[in-house]
């Protein structure tokens, strides 16, 4: 079950955190994995080394995926090295949290460009080889915040809700070509992104979570693995929450 032998996967923003766990999980199941980062070469190399030490194949590609030309270069580097793309995980993301009255336009733009526009750039470029092969998996990492909203995160919530709209629309566009498009919506996961959240916020999250704990990067990676696998062939346009029941639709 869930074998990815002979598959090639790109995971954007996989130098650490959730992306690194996704890359390592897909590699463990046999995928050749492209590790992407914007500005963390040492961290990206160490993720690749873990994969290679376990007998897997990994390629590190620096690219700011919020920029069209760099996203296209990421796809080209993958095709040059591995000749195909089977799985694209749009994971790269940032936060610039503040109430909207104090939010600078640059912080709105950066979050939308990084979290949402990057998925447009990467999906557009990766779909061409997938269409040729008449198979593919695109998995967008959204957030429960994109479903429920969050005070102080209007830019982030808008980007993540936008990813859900992108997921559903693209799923309708390319389903007939045997390409599935789904989203995974993590709850609160301890990573660099969440390390500055106040302890009281995390305690409140845990007390509102039926499963009574925060998630782990592996919890998210396992959901992505499922959606990337052949076993998920008849699932498209869906949002899979990995949040211990925090937000129920
Ligand atoms: P993280 O530890 O801060 O990692 C973010 C990754 O994205 C890093 O590898 C970073 O690399 C990369 N990145 C950022 N901007 C990029 C760009 N323009 N181009 C290429 N790579 C870029 O965050 P995380 O918690 O693992 O989050 C991963 C994803 O999960 C994000 O989309 C986030 O919104 C989502 N998510 C996280 C949580 C959570 O609680 N942690 C919950 C829900 C959803 P550089 O350092 O090189 O920029």
């Amino acid at each position: 079950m869930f074998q990815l032998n002979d598959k090639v996967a790109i995971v954007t923003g996989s130098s650490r955190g959730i992306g690194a766990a996704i890359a390592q999980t897909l590699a463990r199941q046999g995928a050749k994995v492209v590790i992407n980062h914007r500005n963390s070469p040492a961290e990206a190399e160490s993720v690749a080394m873990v994969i290679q030490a376990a007998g897997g194949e990994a390629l590190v590609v620096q690219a700011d995926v919020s920029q069209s030309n760099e996203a296209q270069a990421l796809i080209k580097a993958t095709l040059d090295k591995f000749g195909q793309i089977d799985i694209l995980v749009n994971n790269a993301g940032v936060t610039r949290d503040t109430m909207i009255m104090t939010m600078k336009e640059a912080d709105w733009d950066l979050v939308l460009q990084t979290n949402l526009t990057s998925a447009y750039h990467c999906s557009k470029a990766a779909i061409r080889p997938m269409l040729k092969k008449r198979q593919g998996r695109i998995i967008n990492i959204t957030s429960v915040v994109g479903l429920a909203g969050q005070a102080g995160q209007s830019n982030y919530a808008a980007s993540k809700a936008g990813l859900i709209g992108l997921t559903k629309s693209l799923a309708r566009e390319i389903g007939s070509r045997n390409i599935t498009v789904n989203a995974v919506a993590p709850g609160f996961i301890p990573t660099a992104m969440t390390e500055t959240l106040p302890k009281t916020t995390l305690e409140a999250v845990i007390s509102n979570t039926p499963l009574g704990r925060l998630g782990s990067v592996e919890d998210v990676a396992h959901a992505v693995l499922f959606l990337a696998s052949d076993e998920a062939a008849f699932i498209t346009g869906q949002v899979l929450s990995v949040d211990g029941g925090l937000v129920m639709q």
Side-chain angles (χ1 to χ4, degrees):
M1 294 274 274
F2 312 129
Q3 288 306 308
L4 301 177
N5 299 326
D6 304 321
K7 308 265 190 208
V8 174
I10 300 173
V11 185
T12 69
S14 44
S15 55
R16 61 171 182 270
I18 291 171
I22 294 170
Q24 287 168 353
T25 299
L26 300 185
R28 212 174 297 125
Q29 296 307 111
K32 297 167 188 160
V33 180
V34 176
I35 312 296
N36 159 250
H37 68 98
R38 179 189 46 182
N39 197 23
S40 307
E43 284 177 286
E45 284 299 340
S46 69
V47 174
M49 278 166 59
V50 170
I51 290 171
Q52 287 154 353
E57 272 194 74
L59 171 72
V60 173
V61 180
Q62 187 282 330
D64 177 348
V65 289
S66 69
Q67 304 302 311
S68 170
N69 58 336
E70 297 194 33
Q72 285 171 31
L74 169 64
I75 303 303
K76 183 174 183 312
T78 305
L79 291 172
D80 288 349
K81 171 76 175 173
F82 295 124
Q84 63 191 62
I85 299 168
D86 302 285
I87 301 159
L88 169 66
V89 184
N90 288 309
N91 167 79
V94 292
T95 51
R96 289 293 183 276
D97 297 350
T98 186
M99 296 296 176
I100 203 156
M101 291 301 288
T102 52
M103 187 177 291
K104 295 190 176 75
E105 202 174 323
D107 288 338
W108 173 271
D109 288 344
L110 177 78
V111 170
L112 268 290
Q113 289 268 335
T114 305
N115 299 4
L116 178 57
T117 310
S118 64
Y120 154 72
H121 291 320
C122 292
S123 302
K124 189 174 176 185
I127 280 169
R128 200 176 294 273
M130 289 180 181
L131 286 175
K132 266 195 203 148
K133 245 187 130 185
R134 291 188 82 83
Q135 80 172 41
R137 297 273 187 276
I138 298 176
I139 299 153
N140 296 320
I141 307 302
T142 177
S143 166
V144 290
V145 168
L147 294 167
Q150 179 79 6
Q153 289 200 303
S154 56
N155 49 1
Y156 183 78
S159 72
K160 294 300 185 180
L163 268 180
I164 293 171
L166 173 67
T167 299
K168 293 179 179 179
S169 302
L170 204 47
R172 290 184 188 278
E173 275 184 33
I174 56 181
S176 64
R177 309 301 180 89
N178 196 31
I179 302 168
T180 68
V181 189
N182 290 290
V184 169
F188 287 80
I189 314 289
T191 65
M193 183 175 276
T194 48
E195 69 188 358
T196 55
L197 287 178
K199 203 165 164 252
T200 48
T201 304
L202 296 180
E203 283 167 0
V205 168
I206 292 170
S207 75
N208 284 318
T209 299
L211 290 179
R213 65 171 175 89
L214 298 177
S216 69
V217 293
E218 288 79 18
D219 289 326
V220 181
H222 292 152
V224 173
L225 168 62
F226 168 60
L227 291 171
S229 71
D230 289 345
E231 284 77 4
F234 202 49
I235 300 173
T236 197
Q238 303 304 309
V239 182
L240 177 54
S241 291
V242 181
D243 65 351
L246 179 65
V247 175
M248 295 190 193
Q249 292 300 299

